[in-house]
C-alpha cells in the first residue's frame, strides 16, 4: 500500500511537471523613460568682401560688395559698418586714403537705389536680419560721387563690419 501511494505521488508529480512544461511561459515587462536634452546656442559669423570701384575719372562710380553671414536658425542680428580708417571719415562721408596722399570720398548703402546709408547705429542705419542656419549674403552698395579731384594713386580704406546678435 505504501508503494501504491508512493507510485501515485510520483505519477501525480510527473503529470504536473509535464503539464507545466507544456504551458507557454510569459515574460514580464516594465517601462521607464530616458530623458534626452540638448542646448543650441545662438552663434554667428560674418565675413566682408572687397568693394572694388576700379578706376575713377571724376565721374560717378557705383560698385557692390558682399557681407556673408552665418547665424544659428532663428537668431536675430544686425550688421553695422563703421566710418572706416580714413582721417575725418564718418559713416555718411567715408574717405579712402591715397598712396601718394589725399583722400577720395565714397559712401556705402543698404539698398540698390543708394538712398539708405549703411552706418553703425542699431535701429537707425544698420541692416537687420534673422539667421536661417544657412549662409546669407547681404549686398553692400557703394558709390564714389562725381566731381572729386583727388591726387593720382591707389586709394584704400578698411571698414569694420560689426554683427550684433
Amino acid at each position: 500500500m505504501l508503494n501504491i501511494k508512493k507510485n501515485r505521488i510520483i505519477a501525480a508529480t510527473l503529470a504536473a511537471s509535464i503539464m507545466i512544461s507544456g504551458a507557454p511561459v510569459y515574460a514580464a515587462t516594465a517601462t521607464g523613460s530616458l530623458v534626452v536634452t540638448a542646448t543650441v546656442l545662438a552663434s554667428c559669423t560674418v565675413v566682408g568682401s572687397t568693394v572694388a570701384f576700379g578706376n575713377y575719372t571724376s565721374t560717378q562710380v557705383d560698385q557692390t560688395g558682399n557681407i556673408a553671414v552665418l547665424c544659428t536658425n532663428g537668431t536675430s542680428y544686425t550688421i553695422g559698418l563703421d566710418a572706416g580708417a580714413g582721417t575725418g571719415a564718418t559713416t555718411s562721408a567715408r574717405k579712402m586714403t591715397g598712396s601718394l596722399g589725399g583722400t577720395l570720398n565714397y559712401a556705402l548703402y543698404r539698398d540698390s537705389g543708394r538712398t539708405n546709408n549703411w552706418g553703425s547705429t542699431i535701429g537707425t542705419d544698420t541692416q537687420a536680419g534673422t539667421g536661417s542656419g544657412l549662409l546669407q549674403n547681404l549686398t553692400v552698395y557703394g558709390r564714389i560721387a562725381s566731381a572729386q579731384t583727388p591726387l593720382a594713386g591707389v586709394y584704400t580704406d578698411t571698414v569694420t563690419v560689426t554683427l550684433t546678435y
Side-chain angles (χ1 to χ4, degrees):
M1 184 91 155
L2 191 56
N3 275 344
I4 294 176
K5 270 190 180 184
K6 210 182 208 184
N7 286 341
R8 282 187 185 169
I9 291 175
I10 291 173
T13 304
L14 188 56
S17 294
I18 290 171
M19 285 177 39
I20 291 173
S21 68
V25 177
Y26 294 103
T29 61
T31 61
S33 60
L34 174 66
V35 177
V36 180
T37 67
T39 301
V40 176
L41 300 175
S43 173
C44 292
T45 58
V46 63
V47 177
S49 72
T50 299
V51 179
F53 285 108
N55 296 329
Y56 179 71
T57 58
S58 293
T59 58
Q60 178 177 300
V61 178
D62 289 342
Q63 197 53 266
T64 61
N66 184 63
I67 296 173
V69 176
L70 180 60
C71 285
T72 307
N73 191 15
T75 301
S76 298
Y77 63 84
T78 59
I79 302 284
L81 304 179
D82 76 356
T87 303
T90 66
T91 58
S92 58
R94 292 178 170 93
K95 299 177 182 288
M96 287 185 268
T97 303
S99 57
L100 301 175
T103 60
L104 180 59
N105 297 330
Y106 71 100
L108 300 175
Y109 300 95
R110 295 172 282 149
D111 64 311
S112 61
R114 291 171 173 80
T115 57
N116 294 307
N117 182 60
W118 201 328
S120 58
T121 305
I122 294 175
T124 301
D125 58 4
T126 56
Q127 182 69 42
T130 301
S132 65
L134 303 173
L135 189 65
Q136 296 173 305
N137 290 302
L138 306 175
T139 302
V140 179
Y141 300 91
R143 173 172 285 164
I144 299 176
S146 61
Q148 295 184 63
T149 56
L151 296 171
V154 176
Y155 287 78
T156 62
D157 191 18
T158 301
V159 174
T160 300
V161 179
T162 302
L163 186 148
T164 305
Y165 64 98

